[in-house]
Amino acid sequence: MIGLLCEGHILIEDVPGVGKTVMARTLAKSLGCSFNRLQFTPDMLPSDVTGVSIFNQQTHGFEFRPGPIFGQIILADEINRATPRPKPPCSSHG
């Protein structure tokens, strides 16, 4: 609750099956907030997080389908499964 009141982020680590998802979903529901769960996988793409524009054949236009990051309370689950990203090279000033 302190992290929520301070408009911050909370990292909850524990073994599987202790109710972390249920706790986050219940907190969102009790506050009247939207809840989204983001499941990390090795083949994850940025559009899996942010959303994607899809062509609608009836309107002949693109429609944006928002990803899970557009929720008020977001559970990022199994972050350790995401593909590691290399660090950008350091620039030398000389």
Side-chain angles (χ1 to χ4, degrees):
M1 289 301 293
I2 292 172
L4 185 66
L5 293 172
C6 294
E7 298 179 12
H9 300 89
I10 301 168
L11 176 64
I12 302 171
E13 289 186 88
D14 209 337
V15 296
V18 295
K20 297 178 294 290
T21 302
V22 173
M23 181 185 67
R25 184 177 288 132
T26 303
L27 179 64
K29 191 172 185 177
S30 67
L31 295 173
C33 297
S34 62
F35 172 79
N36 289 331
R37 182 175 177 270
L38 181 56
Q39 176 73 43
F40 282 86
T41 60
D43 61 343
M44 184 173 229
L45 299 172
S47 60
D48 296 330
V49 177
T50 61
V52 66
S53 292
I54 298 176
F55 186 73
N56 184 332
Q57 292 182 346
Q58 282 88 19
T59 64
H60 300 287
F62 285 92
E63 294 178 356
F64 180 67
R65 303 273 172 94
I69 201 70
F70 287 96
Q72 293 171 315
I73 293 183
I74 302 161
L75 175 67
D77 203 3
E78 300 184 19
I79 297 173
N80 59 327
R81 290 189 183 188
T83 304
R85 303 283 183 220
K87 291 171 52 175
C90 296
S91 61
S92 60
H93 303 285

